[in-house]
CSV table of all heavy atoms in Angstrom, one decimal:
chain,number,residue,atom,x,y,z
E,1,ILE,N,-6.6,-21.9,4.9
E,1,ILE,CA,-6.4,-23.0,5.8
E,1,ILE,C,-7.4,-23.0,6.9
E,1,ILE,O,-7.9,-24.0,7.4
E,1,ILE,CB,-4.9,-23.0,6.4
E,1,ILE,CG1,-3.9,-23.2,5.3
E,1,ILE,CG2,-4.8,-24.0,7.5
E,1,ILE,CD1,-2.5,-22.9,5.8
E,2,ALA,N,-7.7,-21.7,7.4
E,2,ALA,CA,-8.8,-21.6,8.4
E,2,ALA,C,-10.1,-22.2,7.9
E,2,ALA,O,-10.8,-22.9,8.7
E,2,ALA,CB,-8.9,-20.1,8.8
E,3,ALA,N,-10.4,-21.9,6.6
E,3,ALA,CA,-11.7,-22.5,6.1
E,3,ALA,C,-11.6,-24.0,6.0
E,3,ALA,O,-12.5,-24.7,6.3
E,3,ALA,CB,-11.9,-21.9,4.7
E,4,GLN,N,-10.4,-24.5,5.6
E,4,GLN,CA,-10.3,-26.0,5.4
E,4,GLN,C,-10.4,-26.7,6.7
E,4,GLN,O,-10.9,-27.8,6.8
E,4,GLN,CB,-8.9,-26.3,4.8
E,4,GLN,CG,-8.8,-25.8,3.3
E,4,GLN,CD,-7.3,-25.8,2.8
E,4,GLN,OE1,-6.4,-26.4,3.5
E,4,GLN,NE2,-7.1,-25.3,1.6
E,5,LEU,N,-9.8,-26.1,7.8
E,5,LEU,CA,-9.8,-26.7,9.1
E,5,LEU,C,-11.0,-26.3,10.0
E,5,LEU,O,-11.2,-26.8,11.1
E,5,LEU,CB,-8.5,-26.4,9.8
E,5,LEU,CG,-7.2,-26.8,9.1
E,5,LEU,CD1,-6.0,-26.4,10.0
E,5,LEU,CD2,-7.2,-28.3,8.9
E,6,ASP,N,-11.8,-25.3,9.5
E,6,ASP,CA,-12.9,-24.8,10.2
E,6,ASP,C,-12.4,-24.3,11.6
E,6,ASP,O,-12.9,-24.7,12.7
E,6,ASP,CB,-14.0,-25.8,10.4
E,6,ASP,CG,-15.3,-25.2,11.0
E,6,ASP,OD1,-15.4,-23.9,10.9
E,6,ASP,OD2,-16.1,-25.9,11.6
E,7,THR,N,-11.4,-23.4,11.5
E,7,THR,CA,-10.7,-23.0,12.8
E,7,THR,C,-10.4,-21.5,12.7
E,7,THR,O,-10.8,-20.9,11.7
E,7,THR,CB,-9.4,-23.8,13.1
E,7,THR,OG1,-8.9,-23.5,14.3
E,7,THR,CG2,-8.4,-23.4,12.0
E,8,ASP,N,-9.8,-20.9,13.7
E,8,ASP,CA,-9.5,-19.5,13.7
E,8,ASP,C,-8.2,-19.2,13.0
E,8,ASP,O,-7.4,-20.1,12.8
E,8,ASP,CB,-9.4,-19.0,15.2
E,8,ASP,CG,-8.4,-19.7,16.0
E,8,ASP,OD1,-8.7,-20.8,16.5
E,8,ASP,OD2,-7.2,-19.3,16.0
E,9,PRO,N,-8.0,-17.9,12.6
E,9,PRO,CA,-6.8,-17.6,11.9
E,9,PRO,C,-5.5,-17.9,12.6
E,9,PRO,O,-4.5,-18.2,12.0
E,9,PRO,CB,-7.0,-16.1,11.6
E,9,PRO,CG,-8.4,-15.9,11.6
E,9,PRO,CD,-9.0,-16.8,12.7
E,10,ASP,N,-5.5,-17.7,14.0
E,10,ASP,CA,-4.3,-17.9,14.7
E,10,ASP,C,-3.8,-19.4,14.6
E,10,ASP,O,-2.7,-19.7,14.4
E,10,ASP,CB,-4.4,-17.5,16.2
E,10,ASP,CG,-4.5,-16.0,16.4
E,10,ASP,OD1,-4.1,-15.3,15.4
E,10,ASP,OD2,-4.9,-15.6,17.4
E,11,THR,N,-4.8,-20.3,14.7
E,11,THR,CA,-4.5,-21.7,14.6
E,11,THR,C,-4.1,-22.1,13.2
E,11,THR,O,-3.2,-22.9,13.0
E,11,THR,CB,-5.8,-22.6,15.0
E,11,THR,OG1,-6.1,-22.2,16.4
E,11,THR,CG2,-5.5,-24.0,15.0
E,12,ALA,N,-4.8,-21.5,12.2
E,12,ALA,CA,-4.4,-21.8,10.8
E,12,ALA,C,-3.0,-21.3,10.6
E,12,ALA,O,-2.2,-22.0,9.9
E,12,ALA,CB,-5.4,-21.1,9.9
E,13,PHE,N,-2.6,-20.2,11.1
E,13,PHE,CA,-1.3,-19.6,10.8
E,13,PHE,C,-0.2,-20.5,11.5
E,13,PHE,O,0.8,-20.8,11.0
E,13,PHE,CB,-1.2,-18.2,11.3
E,13,PHE,CG,0.1,-17.5,11.0
E,13,PHE,CD1,0.6,-17.5,9.8
E,13,PHE,CD2,0.8,-16.8,12.1
E,13,PHE,CE1,1.8,-16.9,9.5
E,13,PHE,CE2,2.0,-16.2,11.8
E,13,PHE,CZ,2.5,-16.2,10.5
E,14,ALA,N,-0.6,-21.0,12.7
E,14,ALA,CA,0.3,-21.9,13.4
E,14,ALA,C,0.6,-23.2,12.6
E,14,ALA,O,1.7,-23.7,12.6
E,14,ALA,CB,-0.2,-22.2,14.8
E,15,ARG,N,-0.5,-23.7,12.0
E,15,ARG,CA,-0.4,-24.9,11.2
E,15,ARG,C,0.5,-24.7,10.0
E,15,ARG,O,1.3,-25.5,9.6
E,15,ARG,CB,-1.7,-25.4,10.8
E,15,ARG,CG,-2.5,-26.0,11.9
E,15,ARG,CD,-2.0,-27.4,12.3
E,15,ARG,NE,-2.0,-28.4,11.1
E,15,ARG,CZ,-3.1,-29.1,10.8
E,15,ARG,NH1,-4.2,-29.1,11.5
E,15,ARG,NH2,-3.1,-30.0,9.8
E,16,LEU,N,0.3,-23.5,9.4
E,16,LEU,CA,1.1,-23.1,8.2
E,16,LEU,C,2.6,-23.0,8.6
E,16,LEU,O,3.5,-23.5,7.9
E,16,LEU,CB,0.7,-21.8,7.6
E,16,LEU,CG,1.4,-21.3,6.4
E,16,LEU,CD1,1.3,-22.2,5.2
E,16,LEU,CD2,0.9,-19.9,6.0
E,17,ARG,N,2.9,-22.4,9.7
E,17,ARG,CA,4.3,-22.3,10.1
E,17,ARG,C,4.9,-23.6,10.5
E,17,ARG,O,6.0,-23.9,10.1
E,17,ARG,CB,4.3,-21.4,11.4
E,17,ARG,CG,4.1,-19.9,11.1
E,17,ARG,CD,3.9,-19.1,12.4
E,17,ARG,NE,5.0,-19.3,13.3
E,17,ARG,CZ,4.9,-19.0,14.6
E,17,ARG,NH1,3.8,-18.5,15.1
E,17,ARG,NH2,6.0,-19.2,15.4
E,18,ALA,N,4.1,-24.4,11.1
E,18,ALA,CA,4.6,-25.8,11.5
E,18,ALA,C,4.9,-26.6,10.2
E,18,ALA,O,5.9,-27.3,10.2
E,18,ALA,CB,3.5,-26.5,12.3
E,19,ARG,N,4.1,-26.5,9.2
E,19,ARG,CA,4.4,-27.2,8.0
E,19,ARG,C,5.6,-26.8,7.3
E,19,ARG,O,6.4,-27.6,6.8
E,19,ARG,CB,3.1,-27.1,7.0
E,19,ARG,CG,3.3,-27.9,5.7
E,19,ARG,CD,3.4,-29.4,6.0
E,19,ARG,NE,3.5,-30.1,4.7
E,19,ARG,CZ,2.5,-30.7,4.1
E,19,ARG,NH1,1.3,-30.6,4.6
E,19,ARG,NH2,2.7,-31.3,3.0
E,20,ALA,N,5.8,-25.4,7.2
E,20,ALA,CA,7.0,-24.9,6.7
E,20,ALA,C,8.3,-25.3,7.4
E,20,ALA,O,9.3,-25.7,6.9
E,20,ALA,CB,6.9,-23.4,6.6
E,21,PHE,N,8.2,-25.3,8.8
E,21,PHE,CA,9.3,-25.8,9.6
E,21,PHE,C,9.6,-27.2,9.4
E,21,PHE,O,10.7,-27.6,9.3
E,21,PHE,CB,9.0,-25.5,11.1
E,21,PHE,CG,10.1,-25.8,12.0
E,21,PHE,CD1,11.2,-25.0,12.0
E,21,PHE,CD2,10.0,-26.9,12.9
E,21,PHE,CE1,12.3,-25.3,12.9
E,21,PHE,CE2,11.0,-27.1,13.8
E,21,PHE,CZ,12.2,-26.4,13.8
E,22,ALA,N,8.5,-28.0,9.4
E,22,ALA,CA,8.7,-29.5,9.2
E,22,ALA,C,9.3,-29.9,7.9
E,22,ALA,O,10.2,-30.7,7.8
E,22,ALA,CB,7.4,-30.2,9.4
E,23,ASP,N,8.9,-29.1,6.8
E,23,ASP,CA,9.4,-29.4,5.5
E,23,ASP,C,10.7,-28.7,5.1
E,23,ASP,O,11.2,-28.9,4.1
E,23,ASP,CB,8.3,-29.0,4.4
E,23,ASP,CG,7.0,-29.8,4.5
E,23,ASP,OD1,7.1,-30.9,5.2
E,23,ASP,OD2,6.0,-29.5,3.9
E,24,GLU,N,11.1,-27.8,6.1
E,24,GLU,CA,12.4,-27.1,5.9
E,24,GLU,C,12.3,-26.2,4.6
E,24,GLU,O,13.2,-26.2,3.8
E,24,GLU,CB,13.6,-28.0,5.9
E,24,GLU,CG,13.8,-28.7,7.2
E,24,GLU,CD,15.1,-29.6,7.2
E,24,GLU,OE1,15.7,-29.7,6.1
E,24,GLU,OE2,15.5,-30.0,8.2
E,25,ARG,N,11.1,-25.6,4.4
E,25,ARG,CA,10.9,-24.7,3.3
E,25,ARG,C,10.5,-23.3,3.7
E,25,ARG,O,10.0,-23.1,4.8
E,25,ARG,CB,9.7,-25.3,2.4
E,25,ARG,CG,10.0,-26.7,1.8
E,25,ARG,CD,8.7,-27.2,1.1
E,25,ARG,NE,8.4,-26.3,0.0
E,25,ARG,CZ,7.1,-26.2,-0.5
E,25,ARG,NH1,6.2,-27.0,0.0
E,25,ARG,NH2,6.9,-25.4,-1.5
E,26,PRO,N,10.8,-22.3,2.9
E,26,PRO,CA,10.3,-20.9,3.2
E,26,PRO,C,8.8,-20.9,3.4
E,26,PRO,O,8.1,-21.5,2.7
E,26,PRO,CB,10.8,-20.1,2.0
E,26,PRO,CG,12.0,-20.9,1.5
E,26,PRO,CD,11.6,-22.3,1.7
E,27,LEU,N,8.4,-20.1,4.3
E,27,LEU,CA,7.0,-19.9,4.6
E,27,LEU,C,6.2,-19.5,3.3
E,27,LEU,O,5.1,-19.9,3.0
E,27,LEU,CB,6.8,-18.9,5.7
E,27,LEU,CG,5.3,-18.8,6.2
E,27,LEU,CD1,5.0,-20.0,7.1
E,27,LEU,CD2,5.3,-17.5,7.1
E,28,SER,N,6.9,-18.6,2.6
E,28,SER,CA,6.2,-18.0,1.4
E,28,SER,C,6.0,-19.2,0.3
E,28,SER,O,5.0,-19.1,-0.4
E,28,SER,CB,7.0,-16.9,0.7
E,28,SER,OG,8.3,-17.4,0.4
E,29,GLU,N,6.9,-20.1,0.2
E,29,GLU,CA,6.7,-21.2,-0.8
E,29,GLU,C,5.5,-22.1,-0.4
E,29,GLU,O,4.7,-22.5,-1.2
E,29,GLU,CB,8.0,-22.0,-0.8
E,29,GLU,CG,9.1,-21.3,-1.6
E,29,GLU,CD,10.3,-22.3,-1.8
E,29,GLU,OE1,10.2,-23.5,-1.4
E,29,GLU,OE2,11.4,-21.8,-2.2
E,30,VAL,N,5.4,-22.4,0.9
E,30,VAL,CA,4.3,-23.2,1.4
E,30,VAL,C,3.0,-22.5,1.2
E,30,VAL,O,2.0,-23.1,0.8
E,30,VAL,CB,4.5,-23.6,2.8
E,30,VAL,CG1,3.4,-24.5,3.4
E,30,VAL,CG2,5.8,-24.4,3.0
E,31,ALA,N,3.0,-21.2,1.5
E,31,ALA,CA,1.8,-20.4,1.3
E,31,ALA,C,1.4,-20.4,-0.2
E,31,ALA,O,0.2,-20.5,-0.5
E,31,ALA,CB,2.0,-19.0,1.8
E,32,ALA,N,2.4,-20.3,-1.1
E,32,ALA,CA,2.1,-20.3,-2.5
E,32,ALA,C,1.4,-21.6,-2.9
E,32,ALA,O,0.5,-21.6,-3.8
E,32,ALA,CB,3.4,-20.0,-3.3
E,33,ASP,N,1.9,-22.7,-2.4
E,33,ASP,CA,1.3,-24.0,-2.7
E,33,ASP,C,-0.2,-24.0,-2.2
E,33,ASP,O,-1.0,-24.6,-2.9
E,33,ASP,CB,2.1,-25.1,-2.0
E,33,ASP,CG,3.3,-25.4,-2.8
E,33,ASP,OD1,3.5,-24.9,-3.9
E,33,ASP,OD2,4.2,-26.2,-2.3
E,34,VAL,N,-0.4,-23.5,-1.1
E,34,VAL,CA,-1.8,-23.5,-0.5
E,34,VAL,C,-2.7,-22.6,-1.5
E,34,VAL,O,-3.8,-23.0,-1.9
E,34,VAL,CB,-1.9,-22.9,0.9
E,34,VAL,CG1,-3.3,-22.8,1.4
E,34,VAL,CG2,-1.1,-23.9,1.8
E,35,VAL,N,-2.2,-21.4,-1.8
E,35,VAL,CA,-3.0,-20.5,-2.7
E,35,VAL,C,-3.3,-21.1,-4.0
E,35,VAL,O,-4.4,-21.0,-4.6
E,35,VAL,CB,-2.3,-19.2,-2.8
E,35,VAL,CG1,-3.0,-18.3,-3.8
E,35,VAL,CG2,-2.2,-18.5,-1.4
E,36,ALA,N,-2.3,-21.8,-4.6
E,36,ALA,CA,-2.4,-22.5,-5.9
E,36,ALA,C,-3.2,-23.8,-5.8
E,36,ALA,O,-3.3,-24.5,-6.8
E,36,ALA,CB,-1.0,-22.7,-6.5
E,37,ARG,N,-3.6,-24.2,-4.6
E,37,ARG,CA,-4.3,-25.4,-4.3
E,37,ARG,C,-3.5,-26.7,-4.6
E,37,ARG,O,-4.0,-27.7,-5.0
E,37,ARG,CB,-5.7,-25.4,-5.1
E,37,ARG,CG,-6.5,-24.2,-4.9
E,37,ARG,CD,-7.8,-24.3,-5.5
E,37,ARG,NE,-8.6,-23.0,-5.4
E,37,ARG,CZ,-9.2,-22.5,-4.3
E,37,ARG,NH1,-9.2,-23.3,-3.3
E,37,ARG,NH2,-9.8,-21.4,-4.3
E,38,ARG,N,-2.2,-26.5,-4.5
E,38,ARG,CA,-1.3,-27.7,-4.6
E,38,ARG,C,-1.2,-28.4,-3.3
E,38,ARG,O,-0.7,-29.5,-3.2
E,38,ARG,CB,0.1,-27.3,-5.2
E,38,ARG,CG,0.1,-26.8,-6.6
E,38,ARG,CD,1.5,-26.6,-7.1
E,38,ARG,NE,2.2,-25.6,-6.4
E,38,ARG,CZ,2.2,-24.3,-6.8
E,38,ARG,NH1,1.6,-24.0,-7.9
E,38,ARG,NH2,2.9,-23.3,-6.1
E,39,LEU,N,-1.6,-27.7,-2.2
E,39,LEU,CA,-1.4,-28.2,-0.9
E,39,LEU,C,-2.7,-27.9,-0.1
E,39,LEU,O,-3.2,-26.7,-0.1
E,39,LEU,CB,-0.2,-27.6,-0.1
E,39,LEU,CG,0.0,-27.9,1.3
E,39,LEU,CD1,0.2,-29.4,1.5
E,39,LEU,CD2,1.1,-27.1,1.9
E,40,ARG,N,-3.2,-28.9,0.6
E,40,ARG,CA,-4.4,-28.7,1.4
E,40,ARG,C,-4.2,-29.2,2.8
E,40,ARG,O,-3.5,-30.2,3.0
E,40,ARG,CB,-5.6,-29.5,0.8
E,40,ARG,CG,-6.9,-29.4,1.5
E,40,ARG,CD,-8.0,-30.2,0.9
E,40,ARG,NE,-9.2,-30.1,1.8
E,40,ARG,CZ,-10.1,-29.1,1.8
E,40,ARG,NH1,-9.9,-28.1,1.0
E,40,ARG,NH2,-11.1,-29.2,2.6
E,41,PHE,N,-4.7,-28.6,3.7
E,41,PHE,CA,-4.6,-29.0,5.2
E,41,PHE,C,-5.8,-29.7,5.6
E,41,PHE,O,-6.9,-29.2,5.4
E,41,PHE,CB,-4.3,-27.7,6.0
E,41,PHE,CG,-2.9,-27.2,6.0
E,41,PHE,CD1,-2.4,-26.6,4.8
E,41,PHE,CD2,-2.1,-27.4,7.1
E,41,PHE,CE1,-1.2,-26.1,4.8
E,41,PHE,CE2,-0.8,-26.9,7.0
E,41,PHE,CZ,-0.3,-26.3,5.8
E,42,ASP,N,-5.6,-30.8,6.2
E,42,ASP,CA,-6.8,-31.6,6.7
E,42,ASP,C,-6.8,-31.6,8.2
E,42,ASP,O,-5.7,-31.4,8.8
E,42,ASP,CB,-6.7,-33.1,6.3
E,42,ASP,CG,-6.8,-33.2,4.8
E,42,ASP,OD1,-7.7,-32.5,4.2
E,42,ASP,OD2,-6.0,-34.0,4.1
E,43,PRO,N,-7.9,-31.7,8.9
E,43,PRO,CA,-7.9,-31.7,10.4
E,43,PRO,C,-7.0,-32.7,10.9
E,43,PRO,O,-6.9,-33.8,10.4
E,43,PRO,CB,-9.4,-31.9,10.7
E,43,PRO,CG,-10.2,-31.4,9.4
E,43,PRO,CD,-9.2,-31.8,8.3
E,44,ASP,N,-6.3,-32.4,12.0
E,44,ASP,CA,-5.5,-33.4,12.7
E,44,ASP,C,-6.4,-34.3,13.5
E,44,ASP,O,-7.1,-33.9,14.4
E,44,ASP,CB,-4.5,-32.7,13.6
E,44,ASP,CG,-3.5,-33.6,14.2
E,44,ASP,OD1,-3.7,-34.8,14.2
E,44,ASP,OD2,-2.4,-33.1,14.7
E,45,PRO,N,-6.4,-35.6,13.2
E,45,PRO,CA,-7.3,-36.6,13.9
E,45,PRO,C,-7.0,-36.6,15.4
E,45,PRO,O,-7.8,-36.9,16.2
E,45,PRO,CB,-7.0,-37.9,13.2
E,45,PRO,CG,-5.7,-37.8,12.6
E,45,PRO,CD,-5.6,-36.3,12.2
């Protein structure tokens, strides 16, 4: 996520947590989707 957003790890981790919280899904499941390239994070306009 840090590479996708061209940001630091703390900000990337915050975005990952926010996505898991918003989707009401376990953090590990959202992380698995990112690693498997089923989910990509785009910069917040």
Side-chain angles (χ1 to χ4, degrees):
I1 295 169
Q4 291 167 10
L5 301 179
D6 190 22
T7 189
D8 60 272
D10 286 346
T11 300
F13 186 50
R15 287 287 299 272
L16 178 63
R17 289 169 52 195
R19 181 60 179 266
F21 183 70
D23 292 351
E24 298 183 350
R25 297 175 62 201
L27 189 70
S28 58
E29 288 186 6
V30 179
D33 282 349
V34 174
V35 172
R37 305 185 189 282
R38 293 187 294 266
L39 175 63
R40 179 181 175 83
F41 282 71
D42 296 317
D44 188 340

